[in-house]
Amino acid sequence: MATHYLLSCSCGQNVAVQAHQAGGTVRCQCGSEMPVPSLREIRTLPTVEHEAAPQRAAWSRKQGIVLLLGAVALAGGVVGAVLWLTAPEVIYRSPDALRVHVKEYVQGLTPAESYHDWVDNVRDQGLTDEKSLTELYLLDRRATLHRLAYTSWVIAAVAAVIAAVVALAVPSRSGNRSNPPKRI
C-alpha cells in the first residue's frame, strides 16, 4: 500500500501526490498546474491509503518469441514470393522458330556486327543446336532463385510451426505465482 498525500487545488478538487514528487509540479483535472510542496511540508498534508495496482509486464517472453517467429515466417514467405516472381523467364523455342529468329537477327546485323557475333559465338561453340549461353545463364539463374525461394519458404514454415507450438504449448510465466515451487 502506497501513501498518497492530498494537495488541494483552487478549483476545490484534491490531487493525490506521492512523497517522491516533492518539489515538482502536478496538473489537476481542471488543467491548472500546482507546485508540490517540499518533503517536509508534504508530510503535513492529509493522507489517503492507496492500493498500488499490480504492474503487469508489457510483453511476456512467450509473446516476444511468438512475435519474433511470426515475423520470421512472414519475412520468409515474402522473400520467397519475391524471389520466385523475379526469376527470369526462359522462352523455349522449337528448332524451326529458333532458325527463323536467328535468320531475322543475322539479317539485321551490319557486316562488322556479324563478324563479331560469329567470333563470339560460332567460332568457339561451332554450328550446333545447343542452347545459347544466354539461355543457359537464364536457366541457371532461374533455378538458383527458385532454390532460394524454396529455402525461404521452408524457413518460414519452420518458424510458423515453432511459433504455433510456443503459443499453444508453453505456459506463460508471470511474476505472481500462486503456487511457487517447493524447495527440498
Side-chain angles (χ1 to χ4, degrees), residues 76-96:
V78 169
V79 167
V82 167
L83 288 172
W84 187 270
L85 293 174
T86 59
E89 289 294 323
V90 180
I91 301 171
Y92 297 101
R93 297 188 173 118
S94 67
D96 293 334

Side-chain angles (χ1 to χ4, degrees), residues 31-140:
S32 64
E33 283 194 8
M34 299 178 296
V36 179
S38 67
L39 187 58
R40 180 174 289 171
E41 295 169 348
I42 202 171
R43 296 199 189 273
T44 63
L45 296 174
T47 62
V48 62
E49 292 297 323
H50 193 282
E51 229 176 273
Q55 297 250 335
R56 186 175 156 251
W59 284 88
S60 68
R61 177 179 288 162
K62 176 181 168 181
Q63 288 171 320
I65 291 171
V66 170
L67 177 69
L68 177 67
L69 291 172
V72 168
L74 180 65
V78 169
V79 167
V82 167
L83 288 172
W84 187 270
L85 293 174
T86 59
E89 289 294 323
V90 180
I91 301 171
Y92 297 101
R93 297 188 173 118
S94 67
D96 293 334
L98 184 60
R99 283 188 192 95
V100 170
H101 173 72
V102 169
K103 186 176 182 180
E104 290 172 358
Y105 171 74
V106 169
Q107 286 176 348
L109 296 175
T110 65
E113 291 172 334
S114 179
Y115 174 74
H116 289 295
D117 191 51
W118 178 80
V119 167
D120 292 341
N121 296 317
V122 178
R123 186 176 69 183
D124 295 335
Q125 297 176 12
L127 294 172
T128 63
D129 286 338
E130 293 179 17
K131 293 182 171 130
S132 70
L133 292 176
T134 304
E135 282 181 308
L136 291 175
Y137 169 76
L138 290 177
L139 285 171
D140 182 56

